[in-house]
Amino acid sequence: MNLSSLPASSASHPLAPYGWDEGWEAEFAPYAEQGLLPGRVVRVDRGQCDVVTADGVVRADTAFVTPHDPMRVVCTGDWVAVEPGGNPRYVRAYLPRRTAFVRSTSSKRSEGQILAANVDHAVVAVSLAVELDLGRVERFLALAWESGAQPVVVLTKADLVPDPVTLGHLVQDVETSAPGVPVLTVSALHGDGLDALVALVGSGTSVLLGQSGAGKSTLANALVGADVMDVRAARDVDGKGRHTTTTRNLLALPAGGVLIDTPGLRGVGLYDAESGVGQVFTEIEELAGRCRFHDCAHEREPGCAVLSAVESGELAARRLESYRKLVRENQWIVAKTDARVRSELRREWKRRGSEGKAAMEAKRGRWVR
């Protein structure tokens, strides 16, 4: 019996463990009429990809769907229409993405790089083997919210913090920096905390994110229940790994759900993530609504509710500084591709420069007197 002839909506369809549902079946209908097969990309490598289909995993070329726009290339997690045979075999199209995790590239061309598609949960792995970098956590969360996925922070290597009081303080610090986001502590080495994570990622697709050395590969192995990812020790000096994961891999989990493991990310640049930044800093966005001026920059304007909150201790100064940094970065990346925004930013910078110059001149006048 040919598995690919089974009704796509059937619960017994072989692609069901990879997330196939009636919605994808409807999207794929025009390609089914052309005799193409549905499949999900489990790995991409140099213009080719591995696609899991009803007939098993096939190797396919992406030449027909690789435009100059890097945001439209085939990526891990995509659902695609692949030829039923041929050597080489080609991907003919990919289905519209429900969500997409995007960061800016390291190039100067202001391009976005898509890391994973059709993701429901973005699992941000943060190692407790080194000092917490809350600013980096907030950066990951901004990208996660912007993607359309639900973020989850997993504090890995919890066995290295045996004191429950200290561990509780670390969790509280992260929870303060991640409003509306579940924060779990896990020791993949001992299996502690895995049940809660398995339950959370047991439906839909999850992408595993974090710096090299955050314990992602160990966590992936624990979730899959097998040593599918190479694991090497992190450096003691900075907790960084040795790039054990070099490609994005999609894995079906035995307890349900799908996991995309990613390489360690050194650079996590924002890419048009205004709403994502707003969701990470919900308390600042709420305070901003009480500012005297609707375009308040929360720097030195009179009647600024955000600055008042910092002065009273209601808002941590670190949170405001992190918010400013991410907002500026996001404005810059948007301005590089939008002439109108670029012009508005220039006017704003000139206005602030003039205000700063006037303030300095006023100070000098007081000093002279």
Side-chain angles (χ1 to χ4, degrees):
M1 179 180 177
N2 185 356
L3 292 175
S4 60
S5 65
L6 286 170
S9 57
S10 170
S12 61
H13 191 277
L15 289 179
Y18 291 90
W20 184 263
D21 57 28
E22 292 182 357
W24 292 122
E25 177 191 5
E27 291 281 3
F28 191 79
Y31 301 105
E33 294 176 357
Q34 300 173 32
L36 299 174
L37 299 178
R40 194 165 194 191
V41 177
V42 298
R43 184 173 179 271
V44 178
D45 181 25
R46 299 179 183 178
Q48 293 192 318
C49 60
D50 293 333
V51 182
V52 60
T53 71
D55 295 326
V57 177
V58 302
R59 187 75 167 165
D61 196 299
T62 64
F64 283 101
V65 287
T66 303
H68 294 298
D69 183 354
M71 293 285 287
R72 296 173 59 195
V73 299
V74 171
C75 75
T76 303
D78 271 327
W79 284 98
V80 297
V82 67
E83 293 175 342
N87 187 18
R89 184 180 298 211
Y90 288 97
V91 171
R92 288 293 176 176
Y94 65 81
L95 302 186
R97 293 161 177 156
R98 294 177 180 175
T99 62
F101 194 95
V102 182
R103 69 168 177 178
S104 65
T105 64
S106 57
S107 73
K108 297 181 180 180
R109 296 193 299 271
S110 308
E111 294 175 340
Q113 177 190 17
I114 183 163
L115 299 179
N118 303 311
V119 172
D120 301 293
H121 300 99
V123 180
V124 180
V126 181
S127 173
L128 290 176
V130 293
E131 185 177 354
L132 282 177
D133 184 343
L134 296 176
R136 182 169 288 273
V137 173
E138 289 159 347
R139 178 180 291 272
F140 270 111
L141 292 176
L143 292 176
W145 281 122
E146 190 68 32
S147 75
Q150 165 66 52
V152 183
V153 176
V154 176
L155 302 179
T156 66
K157 308 181 184 181
D159 53 289
L160 298 180
V161 188
D163 178 25
V165 175
T166 302
L167 183 60
H169 287 315
L170 293 172
V171 171
Q172 187 175 26
D173 286 344
V174 175
E175 287 177 338
T176 302
S177 303
V181 176
V183 179
L184 307 178
T185 57
V186 169
S187 171
L189 186 63
H190 300 294
D192 299 333
L194 280 175
D195 289 347
L197 182 59
V198 168
L200 196 147
V201 303
S203 61
T205 298
S206 301
V207 61
L208 193 52
L209 305 162
Q211 282 186 288
S212 181
K216 298 189 309 302
S217 294
T218 302
L219 197 57
N221 287 340
L223 291 172
V224 175
D227 291 337
V228 294
M229 307 305 295
D230 184 23
V231 178
R232 300 177 195 172
R235 297 193 299 251
D236 292 335
V237 64
D238 56 10
K240 292 183 179 179
R242 308 181 193 278
H243 307 287
T244 54
T245 303
T246 57
T247 58
R248 285 168 277 280
N249 302 278
L250 185 146
L251 309 163
L253 301 177
V258 176
L259 181 70
I260 299 176
D261 189 22
T262 66
L265 301 175
R266 286 184 176 177
V268 193
L270 299 185
Y271 185 79
D272 197 5
E274 180 181 358
S275 64
V277 172
Q279 284 184 272
V280 175
F281 299 93
T282 53
E283 78 276 38
I284 296 179
E285 295 277 299
E286 291 172 1
L287 286 167
R290 304 180 213 159
C291 292
R292 181 183 302 175
F293 304 108
H294 75 279
D295 60 347
C296 183
H298 321 307
E299 292 183 350
R300 51 182 176 270
E301 296 88 345
C304 176
V306 176
L307 292 178
S308 295
V310 172
E311 292 172 2
S312 68
E314 178 186 353
L315 175 67
R318 188 208 65 79
R319 283 281 283 172
L320 178 56
E321 183 55 36
S322 182
Y323 172 77
R324 287 170 173 162
K325 180 178 180 181
L326 295 184
V327 167
R328 284 195 300 266
E329 180 181 328
N330 192 68
Q331 287 176 336
W332 174 243
I333 196 69
V334 171
K336 288 168 77 173
T337 56
D338 189 317
R340 179 185 60 80
V341 174
R342 188 162 58 245
S343 178
E344 290 176 354
L345 273 181
R346 284 201 187 103
R347 286 198 297 270
E348 177 64 13
W349 290 337
K350 286 181 180 179
R351 182 183 68 80
R352 293 185 187 178
S354 298
E355 289 179 353
K357 184 177 180 181
M360 287 300 297
E361 290 176 349
K363 285 183 179 180
R364 289 195 189 100
R366 288 196 296 271
W367 292 335
V368 170
R369 291 196 295 272

